Amino acid sequence: MIRNARSRNAAARGNDKCRGLSSLRAKNERGSTLLEFALVFILLMTMLLGIAGFGHALYAYHFVSNVARDATRWASVNGSTCAGDSSCAAPASPSDIDAFVKNLAPPGITPANITTTVTYPVVAGGPAICATTDNAPGCTVDVQVSYQFNFIFPLLPTSPITMSSSSEMVIEH
């Protein structure tokens, strides 16, 4: 019986020792848990900001692509003879097309970073008037829209990226 009591007491003392070690181990692990959380949090935030930055870049490219087509359509229906049938106030000039593009800029797109280039290429076999009159019916209008995109988050590249799109259409009237 005495042996049983002694062994129980020894076991109890060993358990106290284990309890002390486990609480000491838990205190030591608090710092490592905080460190692991900080590292994972930094990685997670970098990924989220990167996804948001590239989403904004895709948004800007989508705008550039669509506005080039819209401006070309607008220029094709506002040719040199549109004032004769009262479908427009005046024929579209390159500065009018540039203003049209900049007025379509949605939130998140800086109009000052948009560059519009309008050309009226002479196509082989096209109407002879295209050589003398830029926006005559049957001639071609080519609108190229460029946008200087800057990432807004500090962890991404800071040099601007030039996004551009062009569209070509035959002038209707």
Side-chain angles (χ1 to χ4, degrees):
M1 271 255 232
I2 295 175
R3 274 189 184 174
N4 256 347
R6 283 184 189 165
S7 63
R8 274 192 297 227
N9 287 340
R13 281 193 303 269
N15 285 341
D16 287 342
K17 221 179 208 183
C18 287
R19 280 189 205 126
L21 287 176
S22 66
S23 67
L24 182 61
R25 196 174 299 145
K27 286 180 184 177
N28 289 340
E29 287 183 8
R30 282 188 203 156
S32 65
T33 303
L34 184 62
L35 179 66
E36 290 169 4
F37 173 76
L39 292 173
V40 170
F41 182 75
I42 289 170
L43 180 64
L44 178 68
M45 290 308 293
T46 301
M47 283 179 30
L48 288 177
L49 292 176
I51 290 170
F54 283 104
H56 186 233
L58 183 63
Y59 172 74
Y61 182 74
H62 187 263
F63 161 74
V64 168
S65 174
N66 282 332
V67 80
R69 288 190 298 266
D70 287 346
T72 306
R73 279 188 218 109
W74 187 78
S76 74
V77 297
N78 289 307
S80 63
T81 61
C82 73
D85 65 359
S86 300
S87 63
C88 71
S93 68
S95 62
D96 293 335
I97 296 168
D98 183 49
F100 178 81
V101 167
K102 289 184 178 175
N103 285 334
L104 289 178
I109 302 295
T110 309
N113 292 351
I114 300 171
T115 305
T116 307
T117 307
V118 181
T119 56
Y120 299 95
V122 177
V123 179
I129 196 168
C130 295
T132 58
T133 306
D134 280 342
N135 56 353
C139 298
T140 304
V141 61
D142 182 27
V143 177
Q144 180 177 8
V145 178
S146 299
Y147 180 67
Q148 292 293 318
F149 178 78
N150 291 312
F151 283 102
I152 56 176
F153 297 115
L155 299 175
L156 299 174
T158 56
S159 60
I161 298 172
T162 302
M163 300 178 177
S164 66
S165 182
S166 65
S167 180
E168 190 174 292
M169 208 175 254
V170 175
I171 298 171
E172 296 298 320
H173 62 89

